Amino acid sequence: MTGSALDDALALHGLQVAGAFQISADDALPRKDGSLILISPAEPAFWPIFTATTEYHDGQSDPMDRWSRRIGDALAQDFGALALYPFGGAPFLPFYTWALRSGRAWASPIGFLVHDTGGLFISYRMALLVPWVASPSTSPRPCDSCTDQPCANACPVGAFAGGYDVTACKDHLRSPAGQDCMTQGCAARRTCPVGQGTRLPTHAAFHMRSFL
Ligand code: B12
Ligand code: SF4
Ligand code: SF4
């Protein structure tokens, strides 16, 4: 099995490779060589594929996490890999740090990750620890050429004034004025020109409900 076979297998589920890097012996991982491949939704194709699955319709909790685990475990078996997930409770696996190591995501002015194609809407459904060698990318950080940096001032309650004020954000989301963020997705994330418009409002609203 190879990287391109993995691309094909991911596409069937509306997923894509969002970054990769070679692991080192110092990483606290169950293998000491190979690569970590970060996997994200391929938007907007992902949403209609996910909403056609059993997990989305069965009425049980955490449908996207349960779906991710089912797909990730099957991919791991097919590709001789180990599947790792960003959810499941503390201690969390360091996906933010792994994203930085991929060379395709960076810390934005508001602290969230910004990705070379997904922008501020980047999210990872899983990582696959594979036996083959993958190199990090060398894309430029988009914020360095983004003169206005609109994300920095777009939050209506200034939740990014110093770190991320989760309480201020959630208080706003519960108010009538917060329905814009609740139904369209985080206003600050939406200002990023990178990948703008690829997150469908119904997909964004699903995550906002689960966040709140
Ligand atoms: C805990 C957590 C949260 C917490 C607290 C985040 C915070 N820092 O305040 C809460 C619940 C508030 C949260 C919210 C959201 N989160 Co969150 N979260 C996580 C989670 C599960 C664990 C982070 C962690 O503690 N890791 C363990 C530490 C030891 O390792 P590390 O992550 O490498 O550590 C680095 C980061 O903590 C980073 N860091 C330091 N300060 C800050 C501040 C911010 C804002 C961030 C993002 C990172 C960050 O520095 C550390 C060293 O490099 C990660 C998934 C994961 N497993 O990593 C997602 C993750 C960071 N979150 C993510 C997402 C998508 C969200 C939401 C947007 C969810 C949504 N609605 O869709 C919301 C934000 C709401 C909004 N306005 O849109 C994405 C990344 C998004 C991005 N572009 O940055 C991740 C990677 C999950 C994923 N599946 O992809 N999250
Ligand atoms: S809006 Fe500009 S500064 Fe903000 S994350 Fe996107 S590219 Fe970076
Ligand atoms: S969801 Fe809305 S209130 Fe929360 S951080 Fe984003 S813009 Fe601010």
Side-chain angles (χ1 to χ4, degrees):
M1 291 286 194
T2 63
S4 68
L6 178 62
D7 289 336
D8 293 343
L10 291 171
L12 291 174
H13 303 291
L15 295 170
Q16 65 185 357
V17 172
F21 61 91
Q22 223 175 313
I23 61 165
S24 81
D26 297 335
D27 285 310
L29 289 168
R31 287 187 187 162
K32 293 296 160 211
D33 55 17
S35 305
L36 202 68
I37 301 199
L38 296 168
I39 298 189
S40 72
E43 299 183 47
F46 168 79
W47 187 245
I49 293 174
F50 169 66
T51 54
T53 63
T54 311
E55 286 87 351
Y56 182 72
H57 292 283
D58 67 13
Q60 295 176 40
S61 61
D62 303 322
M64 198 181 286
D65 291 352
R66 288 185 291 113
W67 173 84
S68 301
R69 210 179 270 284
R70 174 167 66 81
I71 302 302
D73 288 356
L75 288 167
Q77 186 155 17
D78 289 349
F79 287 87
L82 183 72
L84 303 166
Y85 300 98
F87 48 82
F92 292 105
L93 288 168
F95 270 75
Y96 189 103
T97 300
W98 288 345
L100 299 178
R101 283 174 68 182
S102 75
R104 291 190 56 190
W106 302 265
S108 69
I110 60 172
F112 288 178
L113 292 165
V114 59
H115 182 263
D116 60 3
T117 59
L120 284 173
F121 275 108
I122 184 62
S123 67
Y124 302 99
R125 293 315 319 157
M126 64 192 72
L128 291 177
L129 184 50
V130 298
W132 63 82
V133 173
S135 303
S137 161
T138 51
S139 308
R141 178 177 180 257
C143 312
D144 296 337
S145 55
C146 180
T147 38
D148 294 340
Q149 305 210 329
C151 60
N153 299 309
C155 174
V157 291
F160 302 110
Y164 176 30
D165 186 342
V166 179
T167 305
C169 171
K170 288 193 172 182
D171 284 349
H172 179 71
L173 295 177
R174 287 188 196 97
S175 75
Q179 293 318 294
D180 175 56
C181 292
M182 280 300 287
T183 58
Q184 308 295 307
C186 172
R189 296 173 86 198
R190 275 187 278 140
T191 62
C192 182
V194 184
Q196 200 164 46
T198 49
R199 170 70 49 101
L200 296 173
T202 43
H203 184 184
F206 169 90
H207 284 300
M208 294 313 283
R209 282 195 302 275
S210 113
F211 169 59
L212 194 59

